[in-house]
Amino acid sequence: VRWTWTLDDRTLPEARVGGYQPHSVQGPASADQRAGPPPHIDLDTFSFSGNFPQIFETDRTVGAGQVAVSHYIAGARRGHHEIKAGLEHEHARAYEDLTWPGNARYLDRSGLPDVVEFWQGGRFRPAHHRTSLFVQDNWRLGRLSVEPGVRVSLYDSTVPNPVSPPYKNHSISPRVGAAWDVSSDHRTAV
């Protein structure tokens, strides 16, 4: 969803919000098949038999929003500027459950069971947050356009009962671009 409105003839605030919530299931549909028999995986041919190789169920929630303000400055000698500044935030969370039918699997060699593995399954509940501040300019001076900008992002994640520290990072990303309209008919740009 996007909202825009004008404060005056040179300033344009806007807000955007969006997200999605997919649900996916991989594996047998019936409770009987989920209970077993365990799958067989032939290590020589990498073929599966007996049942699905795994049961994987995922729910994800992703939400994002942005607020920004664009300001236009028209100048004859110093060119035209379109300056945009804003804030973005994204939050993502996953609920993942993974197991094997019957909580076991057979690793076969040449069609015969070689190893049996038992596993009660795993449950993963990671979350991720990203917040970014940005400023950019589109400076047009005749047929030359220069686009400088900078973005500062803060990343953070959480995992219940982590074995290792959760991911955290901060970045500063400068950027610059330039384009030259070679001819006045706007058909060739460098």
Side-chain angles (χ1 to χ4, degrees):
V1 177
R2 178 180 175 183
W3 298 275
T4 58
W5 59 97
T6 56
L7 294 178
D8 56 43
D9 61 344
R10 296 179 305 167
T11 306
L12 177 70
E14 63 180 310
R16 300 175 188 203
V17 64
Y20 63 95
Q21 293 182 315
H23 174 78
S24 61
V25 177
Q26 188 180 54
S30 73
D32 290 342
Q33 282 184 304
R34 287 175 177 257
H40 286 257
I41 303 169
D42 194 304
L43 298 175
D44 294 329
T45 63
F46 296 105
S47 60
F48 302 100
S49 62
N51 205 337
F52 285 84
Q54 66 184 9
I55 302 168
F56 186 70
E57 188 165 357
T58 303
D59 286 302
R60 296 184 187 276
T61 302
V62 178
Q66 179 190 76
V67 292
V69 175
S70 297
H71 186 70
Y72 303 94
I73 302 170
R77 290 183 14 205
R78 294 187 181 168
H80 303 283
H81 290 271
E82 178 184 329
I83 300 170
K84 185 174 187 176
L87 170 74
E88 294 177 344
H89 181 73
E90 176 184 313
H91 173 78
R93 181 175 296 279
Y95 300 94
E96 300 176 352
D97 293 318
L98 175 64
T99 189
W100 301 325
N103 296 324
R105 70 179 179 181
Y106 292 94
L107 303 177
D108 299 348
R109 295 221 181 257
S110 303
L112 299 173
D114 186 42
V115 175
V116 180
E117 294 180 323
F118 298 96
W119 184 43
Q120 293 299 311
R123 175 169 281 179
F124 309 97
R125 301 291 186 259
H128 168 79
H129 311 275
R130 178 186 56 84
T131 302
S132 298
L133 301 165
F134 65 91
V135 177
Q136 62 192 44
D137 187 11
N138 184 343
W139 179 24
R140 292 185 310 268
L141 191 60
R143 293 195 316 234
L144 177 66
S145 293
V146 179
E147 295 183 350
V150 66
R151 177 179 290 266
V152 177
S153 295
L154 311 169
Y155 303 91
D156 188 18
S157 64
T158 59
V159 179
N161 305 320
V163 177
S164 60
Y167 178 76
K168 292 181 187 302
N169 190 17
H170 311 299
S171 65
I172 298 174
S173 306
R175 61 178 248 179
V176 66
W180 175 47
D181 188 2
V182 176
S183 60
S184 59
D185 63 2
H186 310 295
R187 296 182 64 155
T188 306
V190 176

